[in-house]
Amino acid sequence: MHGRFVWHELMTSDPAAAAAFYAQVVGWTVEDSGMPGLDYRIASAGKDMVAGIMDMPPHLAESGARPHWLGYIGVNDVDAAAARLTAEGGAVHRAPEDIPGVGRFAVVSDPQGAVYCLFHASTPGAPAQPMATGHVGWNELMCGDVEEAMTFYHRLYDWQKDTAMDMGPLGTYQIFAVGGVGLGGMMRKPPEMPGPHRWQYYFTIEGLDGAGERVTAGGGQLLGQPMEVPGGAWIIPCLDPQGASFSLVSMAR
């Protein structure tokens, strides 16, 4: 599982409302994790656990952080990966620590400031099939320098360049893969996009228009029009009711 995204987690101002929203939009079943002293909810697509939903940690809320999604990249050794990351110009924001019975993790950022987590599971599971309904179907990095980012992630996680597409003024859209499986893409962050360089995650659903209607009915926002992308998929960027950014992807409009 080294180099693959193995978990996604929402830090939000209202976990109960967020759980209801994503259950409606994506079709998840959301249940309490049972972790003592922590409101942590597990979202599942069928029998597969795919994401966590938790209250925003106080120190982040006090610093003005908005609700956001985090991706967890699997590594063989969290401590070694964190040390390598700092040597390559990244930063460790939360030192490696254990989650009893679950695994070991650290919160980090790449040299351009995009935050994510390192993770090694106590009992690794099998990766989801690409574009499986209810799973994260695409992981997209908005950054300042695509070549620099690609070099960094290749050195740490052996990500390989896949197809590259010319996006005109926005530069190149670089798809990356691990073991021949496409995991996501990288592109230059548009200057009008607010906030820092960041990762954006695409949730796979069946029928983009219907899911978009569920977004607005649930109090979220659509940030653009449905767009068809190479390969025949349709996408649309969104905000949930608490302000966390995410996208939807479907093979059918």
Side-chain angles (χ1 to χ4, degrees):
M1 298 295 286
H2 183 84
R4 295 179 181 267
F5 281 89
V6 296
W7 191 246
H8 295 82
E9 185 174 83
L10 175 65
M11 292 188 175
T12 184
S13 55
D14 191 337
F21 173 80
Y22 286 99
Q24 174 182 324
V25 172
V26 185
W28 288 337
T29 300
V30 185
E31 299 178 334
D32 184 77
S33 67
M35 293 184 183
L38 179 64
D39 183 0
Y40 195 94
R41 303 168 191 230
I42 302 292
S44 299
K47 296 180 180 180
D48 298 329
M49 295 186 293
V50 297
I53 298 173
M54 65 177 291
D55 202 9
M56 178 83 72
H59 71 281
L60 289 181
E62 291 165 3
S63 71
R66 296 182 57 180
H68 58 278
W69 280 94
L70 275 174
Y72 283 62
I73 296 176
V75 293
N76 295 326
D77 184 319
V78 171
D79 296 73
R84 176 72 185 278
L85 177 139
T86 56
E88 294 287 348
V92 175
H93 302 285
R94 183 165 179 172
E97 62 181 273
D98 291 328
I99 307 171
V102 177
R104 189 166 177 82
F105 81 106
V107 182
V108 301
S109 61
D110 67 23
Q112 299 184 56
V115 178
Y116 61 99
C117 294
L118 303 172
F119 186 70
H120 180 80
S122 300
T123 306
Q129 293 298 312
M131 292 295 289
T133 301
H135 290 254
V136 176
W138 201 246
N139 306 274
E140 187 173 80
L141 178 63
M142 302 283 191
C143 60
D145 188 319
V146 172
E147 280 299 319
E148 178 183 300
M150 192 67 232
T151 298
F152 171 81
Y153 286 98
H154 170 71
R155 287 176 177 171
L156 267 70
Y157 314 115
D158 198 29
W159 290 1
Q160 305 292 326
K161 285 185 176 181
D162 202 304
T163 306
M165 293 171 284
D166 184 356
M167 299 182 66
L170 291 177
T172 299
Y173 190 91
Q174 180 64 61
I175 294 175
F176 61 90
V178 172
V181 178
L183 298 183
M186 299 180 184
M187 64 178 291
R188 192 167 70 235
K189 177 179 173 290
E192 67 274 11
M193 180 179 289
H197 301 163
R198 60 181 172 83
W199 282 97
Q200 178 84 347
Y201 304 105
Y202 288 67
F203 301 113
T204 307
I205 41 82
E206 295 183 1
L208 193 70
D209 288 339
E213 291 170 1
R214 296 194 297 273
V215 169
T216 55
Q221 299 178 49
L222 303 180
L223 299 181
Q225 297 297 318
M227 181 173 66
E228 189 174 13
V229 295
W234 289 83
I235 63 170
I236 192 167
C238 310
L239 288 178
D240 71 20
Q242 289 71 48
S245 174
F246 68 100
S247 291
L248 296 172
V249 58
S250 174
M251 293 307 298
R253 172 72 188 266

